[in-house]
């Protein structure tokens, strides 16, 4: 579900003509819909309304401050994986007591930040991290609320590069070691054991692997409680998939919620969820302008002004994004296949192969749909290209929520050593 539709032949975000934004801001750029963000946050919250549940939006999906503030106003907490994401969430108005801190490589400084801010939970991913967190907490005279992230050895996820819950993945504590680590955590000063955490991957449309992982996690929680650990929370991570193309039918938030309720049964725990893509994915598009057509013996390239540095997902995961022209095609026009490529000097700088498009001329603009999650956050300045700007629409209003940097801003952190100046 999203709020990007044609009105009078022009693609709009809510009530704003995307061509108007592209004229004002230039291309390439990202545009996000407030209505879609709100709707998705509320669909999830409503699906879990009858149980004690913290929706900790996964900041890595889209960490723009205005996006975070929009979700904070809907009551979302945050799942963060760095001190930077934690500060973004807090700056955007998400209370620390609604923040969970995940990730395999937390530094002492990041742990101290989380402790001083009083975050809800540290999701600890190894014995060594647990010992370090204990030391940092004791040093500060504080106690760290801890869940151990377990690796349930269940494969899931749309692409091998985004599967995280299988033996051999770097994430979580190996299943066989979990109970020993809880025993150790129970002895350590500065550690308050309160939860169990699991996250098996991303873009998961089928609930079966999730159910298998969650059943194992709930069984473990019951065993830990029997052993005397006061486990009052289970964090089921994120991972629910979204439709990227016509015909995609991932499980709905309602089905997901029904499955979670069934799996936890009467276990008295707070449920924590870390949805990212399902909230932000379909709430954003990337807009680009066609520069040239280049015929080759076996195909026609359509060269656009966005590159893989602006939207990495096709290059990284062979991901599909639907493409729509900002001006609705003439009903009688005939589609032709194009390889849509960017200006970057890499062969993986390809957004789509043999994609059927209506006639496109230089200067025409295209929208890559479902680019709201893992889009702008993954962008870089490779090839000395400025970071792509971001715009947030709300009804008939829009605002630039990250502007394009100037050349001076892009180079201001660099310095000449004495011997060159
Ligand atoms: N929690 C943890 C611990 C995670 O590692 C992730 C995503 C999430 C929550 C949120 O998952 P979501 O609900 O968005 O599926 N860049 C890739 C996706 C990487 C996901 C990384 N972890 C892509 O563009 O497909």
């Amino acid at each position: 579900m999203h709020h990007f539709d044609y009105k009078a032949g022009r693609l709009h975000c809510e009530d704003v003509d995307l061509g108007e934004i592209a004229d004002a801001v230039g291309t390439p750029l990202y545009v996000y819909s407030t209505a879609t963000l709100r709707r998705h946050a509320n669909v999830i919250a409503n699906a879990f309304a009858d149980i004690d549940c913290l929706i900790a939006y996964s900041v890595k999906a889209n960490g723009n401050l205005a996006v975070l503030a929009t979700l904070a106003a809907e009551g979302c907490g945050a799942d963060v994986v760095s001190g930077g994401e934690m500060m973004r969430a807090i700056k955007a108005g998400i209370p620390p007591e609604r923040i969970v801190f995940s990730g395999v490589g937390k530094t002492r400084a990041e742990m101290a930040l989380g402790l001083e801010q009083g975050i809800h939970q540290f999701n600890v991913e190894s014995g060594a991290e647990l010992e370090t967190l204990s030391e940092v907490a004791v040093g500060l005279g504080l106690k760290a609320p801890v869940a151990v992230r377990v690796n349930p050895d269940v494969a899931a996820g749309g692409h091998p590069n985004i599967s995280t819950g299988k033996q051999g993945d770097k994430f979580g504590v190996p299943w066989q070691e979990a109970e020993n680590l809880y025993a150790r955590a129970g002895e350590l000063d500065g550690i308050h054991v309160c939860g169990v955490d699991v996250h098996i991957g991303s873009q998961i449309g089928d609930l079966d692997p999730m159910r298998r992982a969650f059943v194992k996690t709930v069984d473990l929680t019951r065993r830990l409680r029997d052993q005397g650990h006061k486990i009052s929370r289970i964090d089921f991570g994120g991972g629910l998939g979204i439709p990227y193309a016509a015909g995609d039918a991932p499980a709905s938030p309602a089905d997901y919620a029904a499955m979670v309720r069934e799996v936890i049964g009467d276990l008295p725990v707070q449920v924590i969820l870390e949805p990212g893509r399902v909230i932000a994915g379909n709430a954003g598009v990337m807009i680009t302008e066609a520069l040239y057509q280049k015929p080759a013996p076996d195909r026609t390239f359509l060269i656009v002004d966005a590159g893989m540095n602006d939207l990495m997902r096709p290059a990284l995961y062979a991901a599909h994004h639907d493409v729509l022209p900002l001006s609705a095609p003439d009903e009688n026009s005939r589609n032709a296949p194009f390889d849509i490529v960017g200006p970057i000097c890499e062969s993986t700088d390809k957004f789509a192969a043999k994609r059927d498009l209506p006639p496109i001329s230089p200067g025409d603009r295209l929208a890559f749909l479902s680019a709201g999650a893992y889009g702008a956050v993954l962008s870089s300045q490779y090839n000395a290209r400025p970071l792509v700007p971001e715009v947030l629409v709300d009804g008939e209003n829009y605002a630039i929520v990250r502007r394009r940097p100037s050349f001076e801003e892009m180079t201001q952190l660099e310095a000449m050593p004495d011997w060159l100046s």
Side-chain angles (χ1 to χ4, degrees), residues 56-61 79-81 100-103 123 125 149 158-159 161-164 171 197-204 210 235-241 244 273-280 312-314 316-317 319 321 373-375 377-378:
Y57 166 70
S58 196
V59 171
K60 66 175 79 66
D79 157 53
V80 302
V81 286
V100 298
F101 190 2
S102 307
N123 289 336
E125 302 220 18
R149 174 167 173 187
H159 186 277
N161 292 3
I162 55 175
S163 169
T164 58
F171 300 97
D197 172 43
V198 69
H199 167 82
I200 59 169
S202 194
Q203 186 52 14
I204 305 171
M210 283 200 180
D235 183 337
F236 288 116
L240 197 58
Y244 278 97
L273 304 169
E274 303 172 357
R277 187 191 315 262
V278 73
I279 291 182
M312 285 287 284
R313 303 195 67 257
L316 276 178
Y317 323 105
H321 288 265
Y374 309 109
V377 274
L378 270 168

Side-chain angles (χ1 to χ4, degrees), residues 154-156 200 204-215 251 259:
V154 170
I200 59 169
I204 305 171
D206 172 7
L207 291 180
D208 277 352
M210 283 200 180
R211 179 194 299 271
R212 270 183 281 133
F214 294 0
V215 165
M259 182 272 284

Side-chain angles (χ1 to χ4, degrees), residues 17 32 39 56 59 76 87 102 153 201 206 211 223 237 256 269 298 308 321 334 345 349 354 368 375:
D17 182 339
Y32 310 128
R39 185 187 144 91
V59 171
C76 288
M87 290 191 296
S102 307
D153 194 16
D206 172 7
R211 179 194 299 271
R223 283 202 301 281
Y256 174 69
V269 285
D298 60 341
M308 62 187 276
H321 288 265
R334 298 248 314 266
C345 297
D349 184 26
K354 306 253 159 82
F368 285 83

